[in-house]
Amino acid sequence: MEKERIFANSLIDFIQNSPSQFHAAREIGRVLEEKGFKKLNMEDKWNLEKEGKYYCVKNSSAVVAFVIGKGDVEEYGFKIIGAHTDAPTFRIKPNPEITVENRYLKLNTEVYGGPIFSTWFDRPLSIAGRVAIKTDNPLNPREELVDLKKPVVIIPNLAIHMNRDVNKGVDINPQTDTLPLVSMLNEGFEKDNHLLKAVAENIGVNAEDVIDFDLFLYSTDKGSIIGLNEEFISCPKLDDLAMVHAGLYGITDGIAGNATNVLACFDNEEVGSTTKQGAASPFLRTVLERIVLSLGKDKEDYFRALSNSFMISADMAHALHPNFTNKNDLTNKPFINGGPVIKIAANQAYTTDSMSAAVFEGICRRVNVPVQRFVNRSDQKGGSTIGPISTTQLDIPSVDIGNPILSMHSIRELGGVLDHYYAYSAFKGFYEV
């Protein structure tokens, strides 16, 4: 399992360098440029070449990368893998500083996505995201990414002596119970705009020039490979940066054929995707059409290309939990390190149908990757992902897949070392088929 462990450690480093979706997009861009991809600006005219490697960014948090195929795009279409850069967390509100009894300073936050609240308590946390800096042109503020890196906040638990029913399960109020402690106050401490000043100092600007921010909490505990046989990956944000990472190296390592290979990493999946950088936006559709037009084709050729395309919607799946085996379907029980999971739902919460499932399984068989299937229990509603949302913008055959993990949406999730390499192999094989 040496190559699998090396690749798993590469994932852990990738996630460590991606404390927010903005940093994830930057890290994606860094890897792409190391692999010879050229960045395109959405406002520029594109001049693309056959077998050229390109990428573009929306909102500094979503990325579409592509490799132009050797064949005519209208004949061979697009091979697309979709994933997302964001993860459940807490977002810092404007005017966030709250004093308690003139002794404590805490921050006002709101929930982003669907985190498991209890897993965020008593963890060393930091703050990352982006800030908008004042410029001479009010229509074009300057953007800076910020990462305080060191642990600066914590959400302390209430002692069991003051909450005797804590181990029986308690309601957690996100407005009162999960506000992070940032510092102690004293006479010499300037509590006003303390966070803003710390952020400004971190990026080397004056606090007065910071107009606004998109800042989020994250765990500073780095992921690790664990287990008696080092078979597990314990790490934050496996959902969905593991699929981003596997797709990223799939498209950079894969040898392009006649089709045009595409990797779409959207933002805001955890909150519905209905943003300009989300899967419900025209972002991917626009990029695909511009590819066709830049190659000297017309709108008719674009529609023909879509009819010859296929998409893999890649988002993590639920493994069978060893302590809660009754939570899975009776006959479809994915296991960690059992291979990628094809996700199926009669209510079309996933895009998979028998034909698209057959396509993905066929690809996996070609590269000796095992495949599993997930279906929700019939008495339990499951989640959804970018697949059905993306197909509202593009009527392309699609399959929803993901690697099996435990503790999904916990501050730290658990996946498999073998599974991550399986996903990479399947994605690379998809791009090369």
Side-chain angles (χ1 to χ4, degrees):
M1 284 211 312
E2 185 59 29
K3 67 180 184 295
E4 291 87 352
R5 289 196 189 97
I6 291 172
F7 194 60
N9 276 310
S10 171
L11 168 64
I12 291 169
D13 290 339
F14 176 79
I15 292 175
Q16 186 71 9
N17 293 330
S18 305
S20 75
Q21 54 266 60
F22 307 105
H23 292 82
R26 185 174 69 179
E27 188 70 1
I28 293 166
R30 182 191 64 78
V31 173
L32 289 171
E33 293 194 7
E34 283 183 356
K35 299 287 188 175
F37 283 67
K38 177 184 177 182
K39 185 177 182 180
L40 302 172
N41 296 316
M42 297 297 286
E43 64 269 23
D44 293 342
K45 182 178 176 59
W46 291 1
N47 296 298
L48 308 181
E49 299 176 353
K50 285 287 185 71
E51 301 183 60
K53 301 177 180 181
Y54 307 95
Y55 77 101
C56 51
V57 180
K58 175 73 75 173
N59 190 55
S60 299
S61 61
V63 181
V64 174
F66 53 95
V67 180
I68 306 295
K70 301 174 184 177
D72 290 329
V73 67
E74 69 273 22
E75 296 288 341
Y76 292 97
F78 303 100
K79 290 188 290 189
I80 305 167
I81 293 174
H84 64 90
T85 59
D86 61 323
T89 180
F90 293 87
R91 176 174 171 157
I92 298 174
K93 291 182 179 180
N95 307 308
E97 294 173 5
I98 300 171
T99 60
V100 181
E101 302 292 335
N102 290 319
R103 288 291 184 270
Y104 294 116
L105 179 66
K106 62 182 183 180
L107 299 178
N108 194 8
T109 60
E110 62 178 321
V111 178
Y112 180 90
I116 301 176
F117 293 156
S118 61
T119 64
W120 285 78
F121 286 89
D122 303 321
R123 299 268 188 171
L125 305 173
S126 193
I127 296 169
R130 71 171 174 186
V131 296
I133 309 298
K134 180 176 67 176
T135 66
D136 293 335
N137 182 358
L139 295 178
N140 189 27
R142 180 163 59 91
E143 177 187 273
E144 291 284 349
L145 300 195
V146 60
D147 178 10
L148 299 187
K149 291 186 180 293
K150 65 180 181 180
V152 292
V153 296
I154 194 166
I155 304 172
N157 246 311
L158 182 62
I160 193 171
H161 312 84
M162 300 176 181
N163 187 11
R164 291 292 184 181
D165 293 330
V166 63
N167 290 327
K168 297 178 182 178
V170 295
D171 289 332
I172 298 175
N173 185 320
Q175 183 58 78
T176 59
D177 301 337
T178 61
L179 301 186
L181 176 66
V182 64
S183 191
M184 295 294 297
L185 299 177
N186 55 53
E187 292 181 1
F189 186 87
E190 297 182 11
K191 63 180 182 296
D192 293 335
N193 292 323
H194 176 67
L195 174 64
L196 202 61
K197 292 172 182 175
V199 167
E201 182 181 355
N202 179 267
I203 58 177
V205 301
N206 295 322
E208 309 84 61
D209 292 334
V210 177
I211 303 172
D212 210 337
F213 53 75
D214 300 298
L215 296 176
F216 302 87
L217 304 185
Y218 74 93
S219 172
T220 57
D221 289 336
K222 188 176 181 178
S224 57
I225 294 176
I226 67 170
L228 193 61
N229 297 307
E230 297 185 333
E231 64 264 62
F232 299 122
I233 305 172
S234 172
C235 192
K237 301 184 181 184
L238 292 178
D239 175 17
D240 190 35
L241 290 185
M243 294 293 93
V244 170
H245 181 264
L248 177 60
Y249 283 92
I251 197 170
T252 56
D253 293 349
I255 300 172
N258 289 319
T260 293
N261 294 338
V262 181
L263 174 67
C265 303
F266 298 105
D267 190 9
N268 303 131
E269 188 274 344
E270 300 293 354
V271 291
S273 295
T274 55
T275 60
K276 64 185 180 299
Q277 59 274 3
S281 77
F283 180 35
L284 176 59
R285 186 183 70 199
T286 299
V287 171
L288 299 183
E289 185 170 356
R290 290 188 69 174
I291 291 171
V292 174
L293 296 177
S294 180
L295 293 173
K297 311 293 182 175
D298 58 21
K299 191 86 169 184
E300 178 77 5
D301 293 320
Y302 169 63
F303 291 129
R304 291 176 63 194
L306 295 186
S307 296
N308 289 310
S309 299
F310 189 85
M311 183 169 72
I312 297 174
S313 168
D315 203 353
M316 304 303 268
H318 298 292
L320 180 73
H321 198 295
N323 296 336
F324 301 94
T325 56
N326 63 327
K327 291 295 184 179
N328 278 71
D329 180 60
L330 303 180
T331 58
N332 297 280
K333 302 176 180 181
F335 290 90
I336 288 178
N337 287 325
V341 177
I342 297 173
K343 300 190 284 187
I344 304 164
N347 66 2
Q348 300 301 295
Y350 305 123
T351 58
T352 308
D353 57 30
S354 60
M355 299 303 292
S356 63
V359 170
F360 183 73
E361 182 158 354
I363 291 165
C364 289
R365 286 181 178 180
R366 285 172 65 101
V367 293
N368 298 314
V369 168
V371 175
Q372 306 181 84
R373 280 170 168 75
F374 172 84
V375 187
N376 283 297
R377 284 179 57 101
S378 299
D379 56 1
Q380 185 171 327
K381 183 180 179 180
S384 187
T385 182
I386 62 170
I389 297 169
S390 297
T391 53
T392 64
Q393 297 290 324
L394 295 163
D395 55 341
I396 294 175
S398 176
V399 62
D400 270 286
I401 67 99
N403 274 346
I405 60 171
L406 298 173
S407 309
M408 187 181 290
H409 286 200
S410 170
I411 197 172
R412 199 174 180 96
E413 298 164 324
L414 187 70
V417 170
L418 288 178
D419 282 333
H420 190 55
Y421 198 83
Y422 285 148
Y424 159 73
S425 298
F427 292 165
K428 182 172 177 286
F430 171 59
Y431 284 133
E432 292 182 337
V433 71

